[in-house]
Amino acid sequence: MPKKTIPSTRDKKPLKSAKKKALKIQKAKTANARETTEVLLSAQKIYKPSREILKNANVKDYEKTLKTAAKNPEKFWEEAAKDITWFKTWDKVLDKSNKPFYKWFIGAKTNLAYNALDRHIEAGIGGRTAILWEDETGRTRKYTYLELFKEVNKFVNALKNLGVKKGNRVAIYLPNIPETAISMLACAKIGAMHSVVYAGYSAMALADRIRDASAKILITADGSFRRGKIVDLKSIADKAVKECKSVKRVVVVKNNNQKVEFDKKRDVWYHDLIKNQRTEAKTAKMDSEDPAFVLYTSGTTAKPKGIIHAVGGYMVGVLRTIKWVFDLHGKEVFWCTADPGWITGHSYIIYGPLLAGITTLMYEGVPDMPKPDRIWRIIEKYKVNILYTAPTLIRAMAKYGNEWPAKHKMKSLRILGSVGEPLNPEAWRWYYEFVGKNRCPIMDTWWQTETGMHMITPLPSAPLKAGSVTKPFPGIIADIVDKDGKKVKAGKGGYLVILNQWPSMARTIFNNPDRYVKTYWQEMPGFYASGDIAFKDKDGFFWIQGRGDDVLKIAGHRIGTAEVESAFIRHKAVVEAGVIGVPDPVKGEVIKAFLILRRGFTGSDELKKELLLTVRRALGPVAVIGDIAFVDQLPKTRSGKIMRRVLKARELGLPEGDTSALVS
Ligand code: PRX
């Protein structure tokens, strides 16, 4: 059998596409080579913290803090837990008796919403701004801590009237608006688990997640604004709910006065629901180990994983990291450009800033509307102190040109952050020079939905290297190992693992503890397997190279190859699909699909369009398909598993590695 993926004779323009492919491979190879040299050069230059930054830093002696925490991480996290208000403190810090189901702060009682709101009111800072909001069209809103506290309480009482109780699941399918924060906090106050689903997901993806969690309530909106258009969220939600028996009521936020279908028995307007509610509400006394929320993320199968975080530990991890990584002192305006539907939004738009009592900025819309300086305009307008964003956005902004950030006064900026995918040295330097004006340190934070909080990241007082996530956060022990779990030498690539436990670690996968054990703890017993590949340089700095499994990172969004493949197979023309990620200068990666067509179908441009629509319908706009190729064969193992690694190597013209398992 020939080993190559044979371009199909059904492909209309074989010669042209072969040329194009060769050109692309050449480009990718050059990009790769450049990247490697860049990384090597960056590994040498060290950016030291300025005197100004050191003067303000919460952690002044970085090395000493790392060393002390490493000696006794449990003690470090116990100290950190003192920043939280507990109704009852713990009998034991960490329970390892049922590995890998670790437990933190055993016997302690607390509440997430209480820590994010009530305690600030009690401390007399209720007048401080909690949320600043702006949307693409220029509408604005503002909530003080006291106002937010009252809104949350009203919604707590309303949800209780709808029958929501501790432990129930509530699905939230909302854009980046204050009601998202209010809904999440209201669930937390009751002790119900929210399951926020990114509002860019399709009806099918939303339905899958609602069904898995058996949510009894869905909170959505009439619509949301995106790139000048209204996204009709309610009709997407309606389609999803049709497939979900568990949903009894749908709460609808009026966000843009859209006309929507309304099922009078099932649907209720948010504003009607909260109208006459009391502004005081009872706080559930949660056990530290009670589940706080479920958040679905993509894995290596088509079924997303419902990651569960626990109340006490999640709070401790998120508060300590936001305070130290972004050097918070209580009065900052913090802008995290993620969406609340991802873990970054949970931890660093909503919970982290509110736990820390600072001001969080929410922006509903795209960063380049009406002009490419929208993001810089917002920073100037609200005097943002900390900007926490993603490499894909940084690269897109760099492409628009240096003149756009230069138009705005951004003196308020003190610290910059990045998350979601590798920030290449070139983009790092652009961010440092043109946004931070060479005075704002960049916190490139490596972490995951499963870790709940930053894991490998600098602190403002730490030395930096462009393109490196530097070193583990104090109290975290990470390393690079080979496939047998043996530590590898400096400079050698391998699997990124975490050797100890941390408070905000995922507790399990909803309704699937076996999958939790198998995915993260079985292959290398004793370690948490992150699924990423990385290397450590001679100074102990970590360099993330990407996912080592079948998970893609498209513009920082996590998506499983299996999910995309099963979306393609929904179309009657497709018998088999193999999907890989290929490098993209802005999005990091885009999807390339190799499809085998059923007899009688021809690989036309028309069919490509239809297939793109099928995937979009199944998954939503998160799945950016860069290219589709129609092929006659896919490289497979004897057991019939598609070898995506081989597909990728062939596409990029790289060595195929061990192909002994390959049969076709
Ligand atoms: O591959 C890593 C990449 O994002 C993955 C986690 O994705 P998700 O659970 O969606 O959470 C994203 C936000 C925390 C990781 O396995 N990743 C995250 N941060 C970085 C990163 N890759 C490189 N550098 C980062 N700073």
Side-chain angles (χ1 to χ4, degrees), residues 344 420-422 444-449 532 544 547 553 558:
T344 309
E421 46 171 330
D444 185 355
T445 60
W446 177 87
W447 60 295
Q448 306 179 297
T449 305
D532 275 20
I544 310 292
R547 297 290 307 187
K553 273 285 174 167
R558 183 163 158 180

Side-chain angles (χ1 to χ4, degrees), residues 143-163:
Y143 290 82
T144 63
Y145 271 92
L146 186 62
E147 286 163 347
L148 186 62
F149 165 80
K150 288 182 179 171
E151 286 306 302
V152 168
N153 287 342
K154 283 199 262 177
F155 199 40
V156 163
N157 295 325
L159 284 177
K160 279 187 181 166
N161 285 349
L162 295 184

Side-chain angles (χ1 to χ4, degrees), residues 343-361:
I343 192 68
T344 309
H346 279 56
S347 299
Y348 301 106
I349 297 180
I350 316 283
Y351 289 122
L354 298 180
L355 286 170
I358 59 159
T359 304
T360 187
L361 187 104

Side-chain angles (χ1 to χ4, degrees), residues 61-200:
D61 193 338
Y62 176 64
E63 291 300 335
K64 192 172 156 208
T65 308
L66 281 187
K67 257 190 217 145
T68 317
K71 266 189 213 146
N72 191 346
E74 243 177 89
K75 192 169 161 211
F76 172 83
W77 289 114
E78 184 169 24
E79 275 303 309
K82 293 179 185 160
D83 287 352
I84 294 293
T85 305
W86 303 84
F87 306 139
K88 175 182 174 294
T89 50
W90 48 93
D91 307 316
K92 195 177 175 193
V93 177
L94 172 62
D95 177 4
K96 300 188 188 186
S97 59
N98 185 21
K99 289 175 191 171
F101 299 98
Y102 299 95
K103 292 182 175 155
W104 282 86
F105 308 113
I106 320 304
K109 302 272 180 205
T110 186
N111 182 287
L112 195 38
Y114 175 86
N115 273 279
L117 298 170
D118 307 39
R119 70 164 172 163
H120 300 317
I121 317 289
E122 288 164 14
I125 56 163
R128 190 179 284 176
T129 306
I131 295 180
L132 288 167
W133 174 83
E134 179 166 317
D135 80 353
E136 209 175 271
T137 66
R139 293 184 305 168
T140 60
R141 276 198 272 166
K142 186 177 141 180
Y143 290 82
T144 63
Y145 271 92
L146 186 62
E147 286 163 347
L148 186 62
F149 165 80
K150 288 182 179 171
E151 286 306 302
V152 168
N153 287 342
K154 283 199 262 177
F155 199 40
V156 163
N157 295 325
L159 284 177
K160 279 187 181 166
N161 285 349
L162 295 184
V164 175
K165 293 192 178 65
K166 182 177 168 185
N168 290 165
R169 271 83 55 206
V170 174
I172 300 176
Y173 185 66
L174 284 174
N176 201 351
I177 54 176
E179 284 78 3
T180 312
I182 294 168
S183 305
M184 291 164 75
L185 289 158
C187 290
K189 193 143 189 171
I190 298 170
M193 293 159 70
H194 54 66
S195 165
V196 187
V197 180
Y198 174 57

